Amino acid sequence: MSSIRDEVLAANRAYAANFGEKATLPMPPGRRFAILTCMDARLDPAKYAGLSEGDAHVIRNAGGRTSDDAIRSLVISYKLLGTREWFVIHHTNCGMETFTDEIMRGLLAKSLKTATIDAGGWHDTGEGPGSTEGAFIDWLTIGDQAESVCADVRRIRAHPLVPRDVPVYGYIYDVKTGQLVEVPEATRIGTAA
């Protein structure tokens, strides 16, 4: 058993001991909105968006991108659980800006071990075998944050399962200041009809 596992289980025991009224929270989010954001450990949506348990849905993936699974979650959030507004929030200094699909595919083809990065870029330091299965995945990398927020909001807005009356807002979280900075073009694209 790792020390990380022990720490997580100890923290959970302390949390559960004072769970109290949280057991009565309803399934639908109380504030009726959802956030799609990155899985980056430096982002704490509860803190930067002022959330308490039960307030909102938070959907996270690498880059906070509008993948098929993110759209699936947003549609469920609206259709079955009543959210009425959505936020797409990317962030500065995102790891998804540090590689391309080709780089990721090349690294995976060499080995499945963790790669390293330095001033010269990404390097595979593991021994093989790797796999070419990475060639069949769109890694949804990011070249420009504002453009990626606009692209993700545009994909949500254009999706046939997304109602036109759901506003979708676009923001970039600044990891140096903690501020949410609006991407006006994304919010314009996401305007509800």
Side-chain angles (χ1 to χ4, degrees):
M1 194 179 321
S2 78
S3 64
I4 297 295
R5 182 171 183 243
D6 291 342
E7 291 166 11
V8 167
L9 294 176
N12 178 254
R13 282 190 295 277
Y15 175 76
N18 297 305
F19 201 64
E21 293 299 312
K22 293 175 193 155
T24 63
L25 287 171
M27 190 184 306
R31 292 177 58 195
R32 304 176 75 80
F33 74 93
I35 295 172
L36 170 60
T37 196
C38 187
M39 67 185 195
D40 191 301
R42 296 171 292 177
L43 279 63
D44 187 341
K47 290 181 180 169
Y48 74 60
L51 303 177
S52 295
E53 287 152 310
D55 278 352
H57 287 151
V58 178
I59 300 151
R60 297 181 78 158
N61 65 35
R65 301 307 309 270
T66 305
S67 63
D68 289 344
D69 193 61
I71 289 176
R72 178 188 72 89
S73 295
L74 287 167
V75 169
I76 290 168
S77 177
Y78 170 84
K79 183 71 175 176
L80 301 180
L81 296 163
T83 59
R84 297 291 181 250
E85 298 176 69
W86 298 342
F87 290 77
V88 172
I89 302 174
H90 293 193
H91 67 95
T92 59
N93 191 232
C94 184
M96 297 300 287
E97 297 174 289
T98 67
F99 65 97
T100 63
D101 282 3
E102 292 73 28
I103 290 170
M104 185 63 155
R105 291 170 180 155
L107 290 168
L108 288 168
K110 291 177 184 168
S111 90
L112 301 181
K113 299 295 182 184
T114 301
T116 60
I117 189 170
D118 60 25
W122 285 100
H123 307 284
D124 195 303
T125 55
E127 294 184 22
S131 173
T132 57
E133 286 297 311
F136 302 101
I137 296 175
D138 180 352
W139 294 98
L140 301 172
T141 60
I142 295 172
D144 177 277
Q145 283 293 338
E147 286 179 18
S148 69
V149 172
C150 288
D152 284 348
V153 170
R154 186 176 294 109
R155 181 157 192 246
I156 292 168
R157 175 53 59 225
H159 200 281
L161 297 177
V162 173
R164 300 286 304 152
D165 63 344
V166 176
V168 184
Y169 313 111
Y171 285 83
I172 298 172
Y173 173 81
D174 188 324
V175 299
K176 300 293 185 202
T177 67
Q179 293 182 311
L180 289 174
V181 179
E182 185 175 21
V183 179
E185 176 64 10
T187 297
R188 186 195 63 73
I189 292 165
T191 300

